[in-house]
């Protein structure tokens, strides 16, 4: 990541401090989950329900995904839920919604885009939610559940482990879970906050477990270094 002037990084550190102060004054940090949105004003909703486009929605499609991803995935999911979580992590549109138990990871996502618009961190009160347990005793593609299912995805694959991942599995005909807006990140503070989060080891390379991103970040650093003899 290209280095920023100290005032911008200091502003990012202050934003993190303000966020942590907000959490410290709330009981919701206990058992709470978090989600970062790059744009304020949009309630959390699975992508499958945002655009009503094509998404992984049947057991037959899941079987096709399992055959497809098994050829290239370095991990072998243990059950259908883990295959669905893997699909979500790699960009397949599903009825899952990403959350994290690490509030700073949520802050990273709230700052990672739309730099002209304020970002927001949402909270989810996860107490009393039905949680996925083995063996699977419900239909993953059920359309009539009363409430979302909570999925602890943290140990299902390397990326979900790094992101301290929790997910909720949704249907169109359900009662909305107990969510609230925790904290707003001003657009002008997003870049500085991303650089400040890097001091805590939270960046794109670590979040997405992708060496290619690390190489890109390193190259950007070389190009921005005025003392680089090859620049």
């Amino acid at each position: 990541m290209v280095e920023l002037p100290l005032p911008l990084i200091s502003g990012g550190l202050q934003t993190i401090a303000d966020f942590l102060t907000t959490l410290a004054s709330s009981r919701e940090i206990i058992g709470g989950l978090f989600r970062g949105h790059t744009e304020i004003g949009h309630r959390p909703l699975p992508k499958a329900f945002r655009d009503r486009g094509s998404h992984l929605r049947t057991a037959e499609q899941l079987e096709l995904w399992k055959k497809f991803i098994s050829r290239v995935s370095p991990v072998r999911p243990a059950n259908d839920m883990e295959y669905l979580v893997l699909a979500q992590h790699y960009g397949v549109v599903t009825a899952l919604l990403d959350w994290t138990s690490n509030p700073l990871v949520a802050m990273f996502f709230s700052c990672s885009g739309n730099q002209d618009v304020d970002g927001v961190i949402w909270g989810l009160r996860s107490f009393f939610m039905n949680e996925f347990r083995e063996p699977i005793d419900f239909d993953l593609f059920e359309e009539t559940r009363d409430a979302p299912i909570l999925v602890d995805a943290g140990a299902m694959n390397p990326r979900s482990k790094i992101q301290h991942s929790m997910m909720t599995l949704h249907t169109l005909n359900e009662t909305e879970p107990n969510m609230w807006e925790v904290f707003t990140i001003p657009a002008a503070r997003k870049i500085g906050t991303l650089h400040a989060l890097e001091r805590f080891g939270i960046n794109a390379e670590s979040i997405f477990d992708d060496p290619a991103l690390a190489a890109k970040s390193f190259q950007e650093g070389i190009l921005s270094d005025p003392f680089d003899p090859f620049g």
Side-chain angles (χ1 to χ4, degrees):
M1 185 179 286
V2 177
E3 192 61 66
L4 285 185
L6 182 59
L8 284 178
I9 297 177
S10 297
L13 289 169
Q14 185 60 57
T15 303
I16 294 173
D18 293 343
F19 177 42
L20 295 178
T21 298
T22 298
L23 293 180
S25 65
S26 171
R27 294 182 180 179
E28 308 300 345
I29 184 65
I30 307 299
L33 301 177
F34 305 91
R35 175 179 173 83
H37 277 204
T38 58
E39 293 186 34
I40 196 169
H42 299 285
R43 294 186 69 79
L45 191 67
K47 190 174 182 180
F49 303 154
R50 273 179 260 161
D51 53 24
R52 302 296 176 88
S54 299
H55 66 280
L56 204 170
R57 60 187 302 170
T58 68
E60 291 75 19
Q61 289 174 333
L62 182 62
E63 288 302 313
L64 290 175
W65 164 249
K66 288 162 68 173
K67 292 178 181 178
F68 180 85
I69 196 60
S70 293
R71 302 170 186 168
V72 296
S73 176
V75 297
R76 188 172 185 84
N79 53 59
D80 285 355
M81 178 64 85
E82 291 195 11
Y83 273 106
L84 194 64
V85 167
L86 191 65
Q88 172 76 2
H89 267 298
Y90 285 101
V92 178
V93 180
T94 76
L96 288 165
L97 188 63
D98 291 287
W99 299 86
T100 176
S101 58
N102 186 333
L104 293 185
V105 169
M107 179 171 254
F108 169 85
F109 282 109
S110 71
C111 296
S112 299
N114 300 320
Q115 302 300 333
D116 296 325
V117 182
D118 291 352
V120 64
I121 299 168
W122 282 83
L124 172 69
R125 297 176 177 92
S126 59
F127 285 126
F128 309 116
M129 291 186 69
N130 291 324
E131 188 169 352
F132 163 76
R133 301 289 184 187
E134 279 284 10
I136 296 175
D137 58 358
F138 61 90
D139 180 0
L140 291 179
F141 305 101
E142 173 65 53
E143 296 183 356
T144 58
R145 278 195 302 274
D146 293 333
I149 299 292
L150 182 65
V151 182
D152 184 350
M156 289 187 177
N157 60 70
R159 181 174 289 188
S160 63
K161 182 177 181 180
I162 291 169
Q163 295 180 10
H164 304 268
S165 178
M166 298 289 291
M167 295 186 180
T168 42
L169 180 63
H170 296 259
T171 70
L172 286 172
N173 306 300
E174 67 183 16
T175 301
E176 184 178 271
N178 197 343
M179 302 181 295
W180 83 106
E181 291 188 18
V182 180
F183 189 79
T184 300
I185 297 93
R189 290 281 187 95
K190 282 186 173 182
I191 294 294
T193 300
L194 285 175
H195 281 258
L197 285 170
E198 191 165 31
R199 270 64 182 170
F200 298 93
I202 297 176
N203 52 34
E205 300 89 79
S206 63
I207 290 292
F208 295 110
D209 189 29
D210 188 345
L213 285 173
K216 180 180 178 182
S217 179
F218 176 77
Q219 180 65 26
E220 289 175 350
I222 290 175
L223 293 174
S224 68
D225 186 351
F227 300 104
D228 174 21
F230 302 103

